[in-house]
Amino acid sequence: MNVLVFDTEEQIGIAAGYYMCGQVLQKPDSVLGLATGSTPLKAYKHMVSLYEQGAVDFSKVTTFNLDEYCNLNVKDKNSYHTFMYQNLFDHINIPDENINFLNGNAYNLELECENYEKKIKDAGGIDIQLLGIGSNGHIAFNEPADAFQRWSHVVALKESTIKDNSRFFDSIDDVPTHAVTMGIGSIMQAKRILIIALTEKKAKAIKQLIDGNVTPDCPASVLQFHTDVTLMLDRGAASLL
Ligand code: PGA
């Protein structure tokens, strides 16, 4: 794994923004796997800034987001749909029809997940997947479990994740209890993976990702088997290495 440690979140945002845009410059019709949460905010900011400077063109890009809450209107301020439009899609030129999300309100969620996998495959697979990591080692909403869940699926969120994410909601009771997420197999099939982790809250999960046992108890540990993973960490997230 390629482990890069930076002094500031700002520096990581710039490096990650270049990394993602570099992919698009190399292959203008790239398929990007995108993540939500606090972690990628600065990377998206830098991608927008590179676009505004005319350095990169997203008009042929396709995107697949990792996950979405169930039973939350896509227009809700906390939906991942809203997050992505506010922080990236509203500011760059990816055509709307090239933007893909799992629909957490689909009547038949299993079918929705099957169709999402098919869409990723039909698009030629994900060229680069951007990931955050949960303090419990989750990637996307693949929570610690007894077995790795291979493809996109519905998941009941762990209490620790609900607690971590409650900072965005008015009350912890408003945090959805379920989500739809790409599976470990969907993520592992990405050609390249970029993980960003910030603060010492992620240090334990990062240590386990890099040199712990590969176990579904820490879903991120499976990335040890991927051949092209880059980690961009601040000093807090790298503090146990
Ligand atoms: P965060 O979430 O970026 O808000 O810390 C990351 C994650 O849970 O994957």
Side-chain angles (χ1 to χ4, degrees):
M1 287 188 195
N2 187 16
V3 182
L4 307 171
V5 182
F6 297 80
D7 284 327
T8 66
E9 183 183 351
E10 197 66 36
Q11 289 170 347
I12 295 184
I14 291 171
Y18 276 132
Y19 201 80
M20 297 299 288
C21 289
Q23 167 69 42
V24 176
L25 288 174
Q26 245 176 33
K27 183 177 176 239
D29 61 347
S30 284
V31 179
L32 307 182
L34 298 177
T36 50
S38 317
T39 307
L41 280 172
K42 291 273 197 296
Y44 291 154
K45 194 169 152 228
H46 194 57
M47 286 167 74
V48 170
S49 141
L50 288 170
Y51 169 71
E52 285 170 347
Q53 290 164 39
V56 61
D57 171 22
F58 292 96
S59 63
K60 296 194 172 67
V61 163
T62 297
T63 66
F64 287 90
N65 258 80
L66 283 170
D67 45 14
E68 180 57 282
Y69 289 117
C70 291
N71 301 319
L72 191 68
N73 193 301
V74 289
K75 299 280 178 219
D76 189 282
K77 69 177 170 46
N78 281 309
S79 79
Y80 288 165
H81 189 278
T82 299
F83 175 98
M84 287 306 303
Y85 275 86
Q86 279 178 352
N87 292 295
L88 187 66
F89 298 148
D90 279 345
H91 312 289
I92 61 175
N93 65 335
I94 300 181
D96 230 23
E97 62 273 19
N98 290 5
I99 293 172
N100 297 284
F101 285 92
L102 280 156
N103 175 6
N105 296 307
Y107 177 69
N108 183 338
L109 288 171
E110 277 177 25
L111 185 64
E112 170 67 17
C113 290
E114 256 176 54
N115 288 340
Y116 203 61
E117 290 295 335
K118 192 168 171 305
K119 262 198 218 166
I120 295 174
K121 209 166 159 214
D122 291 348
I126 291 170
D127 289 301
I128 185 163
Q129 178 65 59
L130 177 61
L131 287 178
I133 183 169
S135 57
N136 65 1
H138 73 211
I139 42 175
F141 273 134
N142 292 277
E143 297 281 28
D146 295 334
F148 290 114
Q149 283 264 9
R150 197 146 182 212
W151 306 119
S152 295
H153 59 283
V154 186
V155 66
L157 302 181
K158 292 275 182 202
E159 229 176 277
S160 58
T161 300
I162 291 177
K163 197 160 154 263
D164 282 353
N165 290 4
S166 65
R167 66 190 192 278
F168 300 112
F169 290 80
D170 295 336
S171 127
I172 193 161
D173 297 329
D174 294 340
V175 185
T177 55
H178 288 73
V180 267
T181 179
M182 276 191 207
I184 293 294
S186 342
I187 294 169
M188 289 294 280
Q189 282 197 342
K191 296 176 188 88
R192 296 202 289 158
I193 292 182
L194 172 61
I195 306 174
I196 305 175
L198 306 170
T199 79
E200 56 286 349
K201 266 174 49 192
K202 306 292 174 73
K204 201 164 148 251
I206 287 296
K207 173 147 180 69
Q208 191 160 3
L209 185 175
I210 291 177
D211 62 13
N213 292 332
V214 174
T215 158
D217 211 30
C218 174
S221 63
V222 76
L223 296 168
Q224 288 177 29
F225 293 141
H226 196 283
T227 53
D228 193 335
V229 177
T230 295
L231 288 101
M232 295 188 180
L233 312 175
D234 68 3
R235 297 207 177 270
S239 58
L240 295 178
L241 300 179

